[in-house]
């Protein structure tokens, strides 16, 4: 009979966790600097050159295929919960485009010999439960023996080519609504240090497993122009992508940005991720305003399965907030506005 595997914390097997593992935007830009990102195909409506949440291919006049992939190392130790968070995060990109998920493929890399098969089954079961709840069953996938546990999905969706919520469609005069509070990266750092309280852990899991389903409904609303999901690059990073794509200035009212109180308390004691500093270095050239070090840590905090950032006409804001509330996102708030000007993010 084989010796039992040691009972290791999943997070101890990874150098980082969740979307904090993403390459910093400036590092990624340098790596891709000599590669053709804009492919120039008439029916490829969104490609890597757009810096949007997913690729989009026009199938016909009324149907577009939305395709994305996302995977990462464990952000929590419970395997079923890790699978749920990873799947929710991957599906978020489809919802951020205003599309409807249709099916998924699993991406699995596991350190065989360090992690029990039972643990791997629990990760896959967690991901499957979320995908099926989203109406996008996992139809297959690919697995490898890897040095660290890695799990995620290829997520596919469909939408109308003229109704998709591209981040490049934000318009001057719009207001900005954020669907979830910030602070998930700080919570994950506190978890690794074993200083996250049970209540804070529950708050973290509830947020990261809440699907961004409002996106699909918002794409049918006139006056809702653009959306993106706030994930590994933090609020400032993803707002900067929206500003560049739309050619507008985005103003963030930092006092209005929702932050988990527990995360704010941890930040006050210096708890943060390494990714927040890398995110700030990557985006600082596009950001103006007076920010304290803690402001930077919070606004650049890498969000795993973060909220949607929606750009809409002011008169539609209440209706958009109602959609968020009906989908269980009661913490959605107006956090800023869009104005004409040189593409940048101004923090007030």
């Amino acid at each position: 009979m084989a010796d039992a595997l040691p009972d290791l914390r999943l997070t101890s097997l990874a150098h980082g966790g969740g979307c904090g593992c993403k390459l910093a935007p400036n590092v990624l830009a340098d790596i891709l600097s000599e590669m053709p990102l804009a492919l120039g195909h008439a029916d490829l409506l969104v490609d890597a050159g757009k810096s949007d949440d997913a690729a989009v291919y026009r199938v016909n006049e009324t149907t577009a295929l939305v395709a994305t992939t996302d995977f990462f190392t464990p952000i929590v130790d419970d395997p079923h919960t890790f699978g749920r968070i990873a799947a929710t995060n991957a599906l978020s990109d489809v919802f951020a485009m205003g599309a409807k998920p249709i099916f998924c493929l699993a991406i699995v890399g596991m350190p065989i010999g360090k992690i029990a098969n039972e643990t791997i089954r629990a990760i896959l079961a967690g991901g499957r439960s979320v995908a099926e709840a989203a109406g996008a069953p996992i139809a297959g996938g690919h697995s490898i023996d890897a040095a660290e546990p890695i799990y995620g999905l290829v997520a596919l969706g469909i939408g109308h080519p003229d109704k998709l919520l591209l981040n490049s469609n934000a318009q001057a005069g719009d207001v900005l609504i954020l669907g979830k509070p910030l602070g998930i990266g700080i919570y994950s750092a506190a978890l690794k240090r074993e200083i996250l309280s049970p209540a804070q852990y529950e708050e973290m899991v509830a947020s990261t497993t809440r699907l961004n389903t409002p996106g699909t409904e918002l794409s049918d609303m006139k006056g809702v122009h653009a959306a993106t999901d706030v994930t590994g690059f933090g609020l400032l990073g993803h707002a900067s992508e929206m500003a560049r794509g739309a050619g507008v200035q985005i103003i963030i009212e930092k006092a209005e940005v929702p932050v988990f109180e527990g995360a704010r308390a941890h930040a006050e004691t210096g708890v943060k991720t390494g990714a927040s500093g890398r995110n700030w270095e990557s985006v600082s050239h596009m950001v103006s305003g007076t920010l304290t070090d803690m402001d930077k840590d919070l606004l650049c905090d890498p969000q795993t399965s973060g909220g949607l950032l929606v750009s809409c006409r002011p008169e539609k804001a209440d209706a958009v907030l109602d959609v968020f509330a009906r989908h269980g996102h009661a913490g959605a708030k107006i956090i800023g506005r869009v104005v004409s000007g040189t593409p940048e993010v101004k923090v007030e």
Side-chain angles (χ1 to χ4, degrees), residues 82-305:
F82 169 43
R84 291 171 61 210
I85 293 171
T88 306
N89 179 75
L91 285 160
S92 181
D93 286 336
V94 175
F95 290 122
M97 302 297 289
K100 176 184 177 182
I102 51 174
F103 75 93
C104 303
L105 303 172
I107 299 170
V108 183
M110 295 291 156
I112 304 303
K114 293 183 179 179
I115 185 171
N117 287 352
E118 180 182 0
T119 299
I120 300 172
R121 282 194 294 270
I123 294 170
L124 301 184
R128 184 180 66 244
S129 68
V130 167
E132 291 179 352
I138 296 175
H142 186 66
S143 59
I144 64 168
D145 187 350
E148 297 181 306
I150 296 170
Y151 178 69
L153 300 176
V154 174
L156 302 173
I158 55 173
H160 194 290
D162 298 331
K163 295 182 179 180
L164 295 176
L165 300 175
L166 310 186
N167 66 7
S168 57
N169 285 347
Q171 297 182 14
D174 283 356
V175 295
L176 294 170
I177 294 173
L178 180 63
K180 295 181 183 180
L182 303 182
I184 295 299
I186 292 168
Y187 271 174
S188 68
L191 178 65
K192 291 201 78 166
R193 291 171 57 175
E194 300 186 20
I195 58 173
L196 191 69
S197 74
Q200 292 164 356
Y201 178 78
E202 290 179 8
E203 196 171 48
M204 172 184 172
V205 171
S207 180
T208 54
T209 57
R210 184 176 300 118
L211 287 162
N212 278 324
T213 49
T216 305
E217 185 172 344
L218 292 175
S219 68
D220 281 327
M221 291 178 58
K222 290 184 178 180
V224 178
H225 298 138
T228 190
D229 62 338
V230 178
T231 55
F233 297 158
L235 176 60
L236 293 184
H238 292 284
S240 295
E241 289 182 335
M242 183 178 282
R244 279 195 302 269
V248 295
Q249 183 180 104
I250 284 181
I251 297 175
I252 302 291
E253 299 172 25
K254 64 182 180 181
E256 299 302 319
V257 176
V259 177
F260 290 115
E261 286 304 314
R264 190 183 297 276
H266 283 300
E268 288 173 349
T269 66
V271 177
K272 60 182 177 180
T273 69
S276 62
R278 296 192 295 273
N279 285 342
W280 173 249
E281 290 174 4
S282 299
V283 79
S284 59
H285 67 285
M286 282 195 67
V287 178
S288 63
T290 303
L291 288 90
T292 65
D293 288 342
M294 197 172 94
D295 289 335
K296 296 173 186 177
D297 290 338
L298 291 171
L299 297 179
C300 292
D301 188 52
Q303 302 306 287
T304 298
S305 191

